[in-house]
Coordinates of all heavy atoms in Angstrom, one line a residue:
M6 N 0.9 -1.2 0.0 CA 0.0 0.0 0.0 C 0.9 1.3 0.0 O 1.6 1.5 0.9 CB -0.9 0.0 1.2 CG -2.1 -0.9 1.2 SD -3.1 -0.8 2.6 CE -2.3 -2.1 3.6
A7 N 0.7 2.0 -1.0 CA 1.6 3.2 -1.2 C 0.6 4.4 -1.2 O -0.5 4.2 -1.4 CB 2.4 3.1 -2.5
G8 N 1.2 5.6 -1.0 CA 0.4 6.7 -1.1 C 0.5 7.7 0.2 O 1.1 7.3 1.2
D9 N 0.0 8.8 0.0 CA 0.0 9.8 1.1 C -0.8 9.3 2.3 O -1.9 8.8 2.1 CB -0.6 11.1 0.6 CG -0.7 12.2 1.6 OD1 0.0 12.2 2.6 OD2 -1.6 13.1 1.4
A10 N -0.3 9.5 3.5 CA -1.0 9.0 4.7 C -2.3 9.6 4.9 O -3.3 9.1 5.5 CB -0.1 9.2 6.0
D11 N -2.6 10.8 4.4 CA -3.8 11.5 4.6 C -4.8 11.3 3.3 O -5.8 11.9 3.3 CB -3.6 13.1 4.8 CG -3.0 13.3 6.2 OD1 -3.3 12.5 7.1 OD2 -2.4 14.3 6.4
E12 N -4.4 10.5 2.4 CA -5.2 10.2 1.2 C -6.5 9.6 1.7 O -6.5 8.7 2.6 CB -4.4 9.3 0.3 CG -5.2 8.9 -0.9 CD -4.4 7.9 -1.8 OE1 -3.4 7.4 -1.3 OE2 -4.9 7.6 -2.9
L13 N -7.6 10.1 1.1 CA -8.9 9.5 1.4 C -9.3 8.5 0.3 O -9.3 8.8 -0.8 CB -10.0 10.7 1.4 CG -9.7 11.6 2.6 CD1 -10.8 12.8 2.4 CD2 -10.0 11.0 3.9
L14 N -9.5 7.3 0.8 CA -9.8 6.2 -0.1 C -11.2 5.9 -0.2 O -11.9 5.9 0.9 CB -9.0 4.9 0.4 CG -7.5 5.0 0.4 CD1 -7.0 3.8 1.2 CD2 -6.9 5.2 -0.9
T15 N -11.7 5.5 -1.4 CA -13.2 5.1 -1.5 C -13.2 3.6 -0.9 O -12.2 2.9 -0.8 CB -13.5 5.0 -2.9 OG1 -12.9 4.0 -3.6 CG2 -13.4 6.4 -3.5
L16 N -14.4 3.2 -0.6 CA -14.6 1.8 -0.1 C -14.2 0.8 -1.2 O -13.6 -0.2 -0.9 CB -16.0 1.7 0.3 CG -16.5 2.4 1.5 CD1 -17.9 2.2 1.8 CD2 -15.6 2.2 2.7
D17 N -14.5 1.2 -2.5 CA -14.0 0.3 -3.6 C -12.4 0.1 -3.6 O -12.0 -1.0 -3.8 CB -14.5 0.7 -4.9 CG -16.0 0.6 -5.1 OD1 -16.5 -0.4 -4.5 OD2 -16.6 1.3 -5.9
E18 N -11.7 1.3 -3.3 CA -10.3 1.2 -3.3 C -9.8 0.4 -2.2 O -8.8 -0.4 -2.3 CB -9.7 2.7 -3.3 CG -9.9 3.4 -4.6 CD -9.6 4.9 -4.4 OE1 -9.7 5.5 -3.3 OE2 -9.2 5.5 -5.4
V19 N -10.4 0.5 -1.1 CA -10.0 -0.2 0.1 C -10.3 -1.7 -0.1 O -9.4 -2.6 0.2 CB -10.7 0.3 1.4 CG1 -10.4 -0.7 2.6 CG2 -10.2 1.7 1.7
A20 N -11.4 -2.1 -0.6 CA -11.7 -3.4 -0.9 C -10.8 -4.1 -1.9 O -10.3 -5.2 -1.7 CB -13.2 -3.5 -1.4
A21 N -10.4 -3.2 -2.9 CA -9.4 -3.8 -3.9 C -8.1 -4.0 -3.2 O -7.4 -5.0 -3.6 CB -9.3 -2.8 -5.0
E22 N -7.6 -3.1 -2.4 CA -6.3 -3.3 -1.8 C -6.3 -4.5 -0.9 O -5.3 -5.1 -0.8 CB -5.9 -2.0 -1.0 CG -5.5 -0.8 -1.9 CD -4.7 0.2 -1.2 OE1 -4.0 -0.1 -0.1 OE2 -4.8 1.3 -1.6
L23 N -7.4 -4.7 -0.2 CA -7.4 -5.8 0.8 C -7.9 -7.1 0.0 O -7.8 -8.2 0.7 CB -8.4 -5.6 1.9 CG -8.1 -4.3 2.8 CD1 -9.3 -4.1 3.8 CD2 -6.8 -4.6 3.5
K24 N -8.2 -7.0 -1.2 CA -8.6 -8.1 -2.0 C -9.8 -8.9 -1.4 O -9.8 -10.1 -1.2 CB -7.5 -9.1 -2.2 CG -6.4 -8.5 -3.1 CD -5.2 -9.5 -3.2 CE -4.2 -9.0 -4.1 NZ -3.5 -7.7 -3.9
I25 N -10.8 -8.0 -1.0 CA -12.1 -8.5 -0.4 C -13.2 -7.9 -1.2 O -13.0 -7.0 -2.0 CB -12.2 -8.2 1.0 CG1 -12.2 -6.7 1.2 CG2 -11.1 -8.9 1.9 CD1 -12.6 -6.2 2.6
S26 N -14.4 -8.4 -1.0 CA -15.6 -7.9 -1.7 C -16.0 -6.6 -1.0 O -15.7 -6.4 0.2 CB -16.7 -8.9 -1.7 OG -17.3 -9.0 -0.4
R27 N -16.7 -5.7 -1.7 CA -17.2 -4.5 -1.1 C -18.2 -4.9 0.0 O -18.3 -4.2 1.1 CB -17.8 -3.6 -2.1 CG -18.3 -2.3 -1.6 CD -18.9 -1.5 -2.7 NE -19.4 -0.3 -2.1 CZ -19.5 0.9 -2.7 NH1 -19.2 1.0 -4.0 NH2 -20.0 1.9 -2.1
E28 N -19.0 -6.0 -0.2 CA -19.9 -6.4 0.8 C -19.2 -6.9 2.1 O -19.8 -6.6 3.2 CB -20.8 -7.6 0.2 CG -21.7 -7.2 -0.9 CD -21.0 -7.0 -2.2 OE1 -19.9 -7.5 -2.4 OE2 -21.5 -6.3 -3.1
A29 N -18.1 -7.5 2.0 CA -17.4 -7.9 3.3 C -17.0 -6.6 4.0 O -17.1 -6.6 5.3 CB -16.1 -8.7 2.9
L30 N -16.5 -5.6 3.3 CA -16.1 -4.4 3.9 C -17.3 -3.6 4.6 O -17.2 -3.2 5.8 CB -15.5 -3.4 3.0 CG -14.9 -2.1 3.5 CD1 -13.8 -2.4 4.5 CD2 -14.2 -1.3 2.3
Y31 N -18.5 -3.7 4.0 CA -19.7 -3.1 4.6 C -20.1 -4.0 5.8 O -20.5 -3.3 6.8 CB -20.8 -3.1 3.6 CG -20.9 -1.9 2.7 CD1 -20.6 -1.9 1.4 CD2 -21.2 -0.6 3.2 CE1 -20.6 -0.8 0.6 CE2 -21.3 0.5 2.4 CZ -21.0 0.4 1.1 OH -21.0 1.5 0.4
R32 N -19.9 -5.2 5.8 CA -20.3 -6.1 6.9 C -19.3 -5.8 8.1 O -19.8 -5.7 9.2 CB -20.1 -7.5 6.5 CG -20.8 -8.5 7.4 CD -20.9 -10.0 6.8 NE -19.7 -10.4 6.0 CZ -19.6 -10.6 4.7 NH1 -20.7 -10.3 4.0 NH2 -18.6 -11.0 4.1
W33 N -18.0 -5.6 7.8 CA -17.1 -5.2 8.9 C -17.5 -3.9 9.5 O -17.4 -3.7 10.7 CB -15.7 -5.2 8.3 CG -15.1 -6.5 7.9 CD1 -15.6 -7.7 8.2 CD2 -13.9 -6.6 7.2 NE1 -14.8 -8.7 7.6 CE2 -13.7 -8.0 7.1 CE3 -12.9 -5.8 6.7 CZ2 -12.6 -8.6 6.4 CZ3 -11.8 -6.3 6.1 CH2 -11.7 -7.7 5.9
R34 N -17.9 -2.9 8.6 CA -18.2 -1.6 9.2 C -19.5 -1.7 10.1 O -19.5 -1.0 11.1 CB -18.5 -0.7 8.0 CG -17.2 -0.3 7.3 CD -17.4 0.8 6.2 NE -17.8 2.0 6.9 CZ -18.9 2.6 6.6 NH1 -19.8 2.2 5.7 NH2 -19.2 3.8 7.3
R35 N -20.4 -2.5 9.6 CA -21.7 -2.6 10.4 C -21.4 -3.3 11.8 O -21.9 -2.9 12.8 CB -22.7 -3.5 9.7 CG -23.5 -2.8 8.7 CD -24.7 -3.6 8.2 NE -24.4 -4.9 7.8 CZ -24.0 -5.3 6.6 NH1 -24.0 -4.4 5.6 NH2 -23.8 -6.5 6.3
R36 N -20.5 -4.2 11.8 CA -20.1 -4.9 13.1 C -19.2 -4.1 13.9 O -18.9 -4.4 15.0 CB -19.4 -6.2 12.7 CG -20.3 -7.2 12.1 CD -19.6 -8.5 11.8 NE -20.4 -9.4 11.1 CZ -20.0 -10.5 10.5 NH1 -18.7 -10.7 10.4 NH2 -20.9 -11.4 9.9
G37 N -18.6 -3.0 13.4 CA -17.6 -2.1 14.0 C -16.2 -2.8 14.2 O -15.4 -2.4 15.0
T38 N -16.0 -3.7 13.2 CA -14.7 -4.3 13.2 C -13.8 -3.9 12.0 O -12.6 -4.3 12.0 CB -14.8 -5.9 13.1 OG1 -15.5 -6.2 11.9 CG2 -15.6 -6.5 14.4
G39 N -14.3 -3.1 11.2 CA -13.5 -2.6 10.0 C -12.7 -1.4 10.3 O -12.7 -0.9 11.5
P40 N -12.0 -0.9 9.4 CA -11.2 0.3 9.6 C -12.0 1.6 9.9 O -13.1 1.6 9.3 CB -10.3 0.5 8.3 CG -11.1 -0.3 7.3 CD -11.8 -1.4 8.0
P41 N -11.6 2.5 10.6 CA -12.4 3.7 10.9 C -12.6 4.5 9.6 O -11.7 4.6 8.7 CB -11.5 4.5 11.8 CG -10.3 3.8 12.1 CD -10.3 2.5 11.3
S42 N -13.8 5.0 9.4 CA -14.2 5.7 8.3 C -14.6 7.1 8.5 O -14.9 7.5 9.7 CB -15.3 4.9 7.5 OG -16.4 4.8 8.3
I43 N -14.8 7.9 7.5 CA -15.2 9.3 7.6 C -16.4 9.4 6.6 O -16.4 9.0 5.5 CB -14.1 10.2 7.1 CG1 -12.8 10.0 7.9 CG2 -14.5 11.6 7.1 CD1 -11.6 10.7 7.3
R44 N -17.4 10.0 7.2 CA -18.6 10.4 6.3 C -18.5 11.8 5.9 O -18.6 12.7 6.8 CB -19.9 10.1 7.0 CG -21.1 10.2 6.1 CD -22.4 9.7 6.6 NE -22.4 8.3 6.9 CZ -22.6 7.3 6.0 NH1 -22.8 7.6 4.8 NH2 -22.6 6.1 6.4
L45 N -18.4 12.0 4.6 CA -18.3 13.4 4.1 C -19.6 14.1 3.9 O -20.7 13.3 3.8 CB -17.6 13.4 2.8 CG -16.1 12.8 2.8 CD1 -15.5 12.7 1.4 CD2 -15.2 13.7 3.7
P46 N -19.7 15.4 3.9 CA -21.0 16.0 3.5 C -21.5 15.4 2.2 O -20.8 15.3 1.3 CB -20.6 17.5 3.4 CG -19.4 17.7 4.2 CD -18.7 16.4 4.1
G47 N -22.8 15.1 2.1 CA -23.4 14.5 1.0 C -23.4 13.0 1.1 O -24.0 12.3 0.3
G48 N -22.9 12.5 2.2 CA -23.1 11.1 2.5 C -22.0 10.1 2.0 O -22.1 8.9 2.4
T49 N -21.0 10.5 1.3 CA -20.0 9.6 0.8 C -19.1 9.2 1.9 O -18.9 10.0 2.9 CB -19.2 10.2 -0.3 OG1 -18.6 11.4 0.1 CG2 -20.1 10.4 -1.6
V50 N -18.6 8.0 1.9 CA -17.7 7.4 3.0 C -16.3 7.3 2.4 O -16.1 6.8 1.3 CB -18.3 6.1 3.5 CG1 -17.4 5.5 4.5 CG2 -19.7 6.3 4.1
R51 N -15.4 7.7 3.2 CA -14.0 7.5 2.8 C -13.2 6.9 4.0 O -13.6 7.1 5.2 CB -13.3 8.8 2.5 CG -13.9 9.5 1.2 CD -13.5 8.7 -0.1 NE -14.0 9.4 -1.3 CZ -15.2 9.1 -1.8 NH1 -16.0 8.2 -1.3 NH2 -15.6 9.7 -2.9
I52 N -12.1 6.3 3.7 CA -11.2 5.8 4.8 C -9.8 6.4 4.5 O -9.3 6.3 3.4 CB -11.2 4.2 4.7 CG1 -12.5 3.6 5.0 CG2 -10.1 3.7 5.6 CD1 -12.6 2.2 4.9
R53 N -9.3 7.0 5.6 CA -8.0 7.6 5.4 C -6.9 6.5 5.4 O -7.0 5.6 6.1 CB -7.7 8.5 6.6 CG -6.6 9.5 6.5 CD -6.5 10.4 7.7 NE -7.7 11.3 7.9 CZ -8.0 12.4 7.2 NH1 -7.2 12.8 6.3 NH2 -9.1 13.0 7.5
R54 N -6.0 6.7 4.5 CA -5.0 5.6 4.3 C -4.2 5.4 5.6 O -4.0 4.2 6.0 CB -3.9 6.1 3.2 CG -2.8 5.0 3.0 CD -2.0 5.2 1.9 NE -2.7 5.1 0.6 CZ -3.1 4.0 0.0 NH1 -2.9 2.8 0.6 NH2 -3.7 4.0 -1.2
S55 N -4.0 6.4 6.4 CA -3.3 6.2 7.7 C -4.1 5.3 8.6 O -3.6 4.6 9.4 CB -2.9 7.5 8.3 OG -4.0 8.3 8.5
A56 N -5.5 5.5 8.6 CA -6.4 4.8 9.4 C -6.4 3.3 9.0 O -6.4 2.4 9.8 CB -7.8 5.3 9.4
L57 N -6.4 3.1 7.7 CA -6.3 1.7 7.2 C -5.0 1.0 7.6 O -5.0 -0.2 8.1 CB -6.4 1.7 5.6 CG -6.3 0.4 5.0 CD1 -7.4 -0.6 5.5 CD2 -6.4 0.5 3.4
T58 N -3.9 1.7 7.5 CA -2.7 1.2 7.9 C -2.6 0.8 9.4 O -2.2 -0.2 9.8 CB -1.5 2.2 7.6 OG1 -1.5 2.4 6.1 CG2 -0.1 1.6 7.9
G59 N -3.1 1.8 10.2 CA -3.1 1.6 11.6 C -4.0 0.3 12.0 O -3.7 -0.4 12.9
W60 N -5.2 0.3 11.3 CA -6.1 -0.8 11.6 C -5.5 -2.2 11.2 O -5.6 -3.1 12.1 CB -7.3 -0.6 10.7 CG -8.4 -1.7 10.8 CD1 -9.3 -2.0 11.9 CD2 -8.7 -2.7 9.8 NE1 -10.0 -3.0 11.5 CE2 -9.7 -3.5 10.4 CE3 -8.2 -2.9 8.6 CZ2 -10.2 -4.5 9.7 CZ3 -8.7 -4.0 7.9 CH2 -9.7 -4.8 8.4
L61 N -4.8 -2.2 10.1 CA -4.0 -3.5 9.7 C -3.0 -3.8 10.8 O -2.8 -5.0 11.1 CB -3.5 -3.3 8.3 CG -4.5 -3.3 7.2 CD1 -3.8 -3.0 5.9 CD2 -5.1 -4.7 7.1
Q62 N -2.3 -2.8 11.2 CA -1.2 -3.0 12.2 C -1.8 -3.6 13.5 O -1.2 -4.4 14.1 CB -0.5 -1.7 12.5 CG 0.7 -1.9 13.5 CD 1.8 -2.7 12.9 OE1 2.3 -2.5 11.8 NE2 2.3 -3.7 13.7
G63 N -2.9 -3.1 13.9 CA -3.7 -3.5 15.1 C -4.0 -4.9 14.9 O -4.0 -5.8 15.9
L64 N -4.4 -5.4 13.8 CA -4.8 -6.8 13.6 C -3.5 -7.7 13.6 O -3.6 -8.7 14.2 CB -5.4 -7.0 12.1 CG -6.8 -6.4 12.0 CD1 -7.2 -6.6 10.5 CD2 -7.8 -7.0 12.9
Q65 N -2.4 -7.2 13.1 CA -1.2 -7.9 13.1 C -0.7 -8.1 14.6 O -0.3 -9.1 15.0 CB -0.1 -7.3 12.3 CG 1.1 -8.0 12.3 CD 2.2 -7.3 11.3 OE1 1.9 -6.4 10.6 NE2 3.4 -7.8 11.4
D66 N -0.8 -7.0 15.4 CA -0.5 -7.1 16.7 C -1.2 -8.0 17.6 O -0.7 -8.8 18.4 CB -0.5 -5.7 17.4 CG 0.4 -4.6 16.9 OD1 1.4 -5.1 16.2 OD2 0.3 -3.4 17.0
K67 N -2.6 -8.1 17.3 CA -3.4 -9.1 18.0 C -3.1 -10.5 17.7 O -3.1 -11.4 18.5 CB -5.0 -8.8 17.6 CG -5.5 -7.6 18.2 CD -7.0 -7.4 17.7 CE -7.5 -6.1 18.2 NZ -8.8 -5.8 17.6
E68 N -2.8 -10.7 16.4 CA -2.4 -12.1 15.9 C -1.0 -12.5 16.6 O -0.9 -13.6 17.0 CB -2.3 -12.1 14.4 CG -1.9 -13.5 13.9 CD -2.0 -13.5 12.4 OE1 -3.0 -13.2 11.8 OE2 -0.9 -13.8 11.8
T69 N -0.1 -11.6 16.7 CA 1.2 -11.8 17.2 C 1.1 -12.1 18.7 O 1.8 -13.0 19.2 CB 2.1 -10.6 17.0 OG1 2.2 -10.3 15.6 CG2 3.5 -10.9 17.6
A70 N 0.2 -11.5 19.4 CA 0.0 -11.7 20.9 C -0.7 -13.0 21.2 O -0.5 -13.5 22.2 CB -0.8 -10.5 21.4
A71 N -1.5 -13.5 20.2 CA -2.2 -14.7 20.5 C -1.4 -15.9 20.5 O -0.3 -16.1 20.3 CB -3.3 -14.8 19.5

């Protein structure tokens, strides 16, 4: 994953980077287990690249501790 840490990614971009379906990403968001997102005026949802990176790091830390 490359790019500016403050880059705002669409849900489709995040799903593509994680190689998951958009539906899986929506499911994670509903359960509160997905990466933190931002709702922009007008209702569009974005995920900051730094938030995605931090969320992935947190998953790795949990796996390492187990």
Side-chain angles (χ1 to χ4, degrees):
M6 285 183 270
D9 177 24
D11 286 335
E12 178 181 11
L13 294 175
L14 303 169
T15 66
L16 296 180
D17 286 335
E18 291 171 329
V19 172
E22 284 199 28
L23 296 177
K24 295 179 175 55
I25 61 168
S26 69
R27 185 177 176 155
E28 291 76 20
L30 186 56
Y31 274 110
R32 198 169 39 252
W33 293 350
R34 290 185 65 238
R35 278 194 308 271
R36 293 178 183 164
T38 59
S42 60
I43 300 167
R44 185 169 299 280
L45 299 174
T49 58
V50 176
R51 297 289 184 267
I52 296 174
R53 195 175 301 279
R54 182 170 294 283
S55 59
L57 178 60
T58 301
W60 177 75
L61 288 170
Q62 183 66 46
L64 292 177
Q65 183 176 351
D66 291 346
K67 287 178 188 174
E68 184 177 301
T69 302

